[in-house]
Amino acid sequence: MKDGPTNDGKKTKRKERMRFASADQVAQLAGVSRSAVSRTFTPGASVAPATRERVQKAAEELGYHVNDLARGVLANQSRLVGIVATRPEVGFRAHLAAALAKALIKRGSIPILINTGQTEDELLAAQKILIGHRAEATIILSGSPPASFVDIAHRNGQPLVVIGRTEPDADHVSAGNAEASRNAAAAFFDKGYRRLAVAASHSATSSILEREDAFLAAAEEFGASVSVGRGIDSDYDSGIDAARQLFSRAERPDAVYCTNDLIAFGLMDHVRKTLGLRVPEDVAVIGFDDVPGAAWLSYRLTTFRQDPVVMAQRAVDLVERRLASPDLPPAYERVIPELIFRDSFTP
């Protein structure tokens, strides 16, 4: 029987392959001290130009990069920034998470996405990762991450920025949900629609609730009749569920405000494909978010645009502000969405 490679042998080979260039090797090749290498790669540190040049040339030849993990251990803080979200792959959150990652990398940070999941074990694992890696800051996206994340950030002195949520003692970035929703009701009413509806969800996130409440209040002020349909979550299937509720009633709405675009897509498909109604001739629709699908020919959705790039940069700016001045009072950044007109509703 021939002897095959053992697992220990495979591990040894992997270790041999993964040999990162060290600062000592750079120092030896450049003919300088180990501390000169450290100063060369420390922003603001004093080092002679000639020494810097030799060190950088040696580092480039060896493929050396600073060990940020080791520096983080010494400082008890890393360059990691936690992006915390429930179902970050869904809808606007996916685009916001991507924009945040890009903005943080540009800053020199390392984004780490914490998907809070749905079970207690998943939540516990996410908590351990966030605090165990000594994240420099935490950014919580719209949705429903557990309150324990907020508590952990506060108890460990981490800067905390929330987007689309309300948390005490945190810096905030939010969309103008109430302003946009009132504008939606006014736009419908001004065009002559009187049987209004809002398609929302039972997810009860602060953004969804704010949009629904503001639209209902404005519609009632205008004297229009208004009905509500809600799905379980803020997704495509919930749009179908909301449409079933709204259009099974004796008095069908002639205009529907959807609290996000995914709900609008489900609602539009149901009223057109299942009920045979036309959009906007039989029912006008306005959404919220302006995800890329809103511009697709199948939808051509009129919707309020949240700009993920703008919101991400505002959040990163707040992280910088908090790191520079930890004792400042909480900051509130409000980004007012723009109504983008397409075919589902025109003024």
Side-chain angles (χ1 to χ4, degrees), residues 119-154:
T119 69
E120 185 175 346
D121 288 342
E122 288 173 325
L123 300 178
L124 181 59
Q127 286 179 330
K128 288 181 177 179
I129 289 172
L130 186 63
I131 196 64
H133 283 78
R134 300 296 189 267
E136 184 180 33
T138 303
I139 300 174
I140 299 183
L141 306 192
S142 176
S144 302
S148 58
F149 276 98
V150 180
D151 181 56
I152 285 176
H154 284 169

Side-chain angles (χ1 to χ4, degrees), residues 4 6 16 32 51-52 68 71 74 85 94 98 107 110 126 147 151 155 202 204 214 227 240 245 261 272 282 313 325:
T6 64
E16 289 176 352
V32 300
T51 300
R52 182 186 302 277
D68 286 321
R71 285 192 172 185
L74 292 174
R107 174 184 178 262
I110 305 169
D151 181 56
R155 284 192 282 118
H202 290 291
S227 54
I240 294 176
Q245 297 166 33
D261 289 348
R272 292 185 302 185
D282 298 316
Q313 190 57 56
S325 303

Side-chain angles (χ1 to χ4, degrees), residues 157-179:
Q158 289 177 333
L160 176 64
V161 177
V162 296
I163 303 179
R165 295 170 54 83
T166 300
E167 298 290 349
D169 303 320
D171 295 315
H172 295 73
V173 179
S174 63
N177 295 308
E179 296 93 328

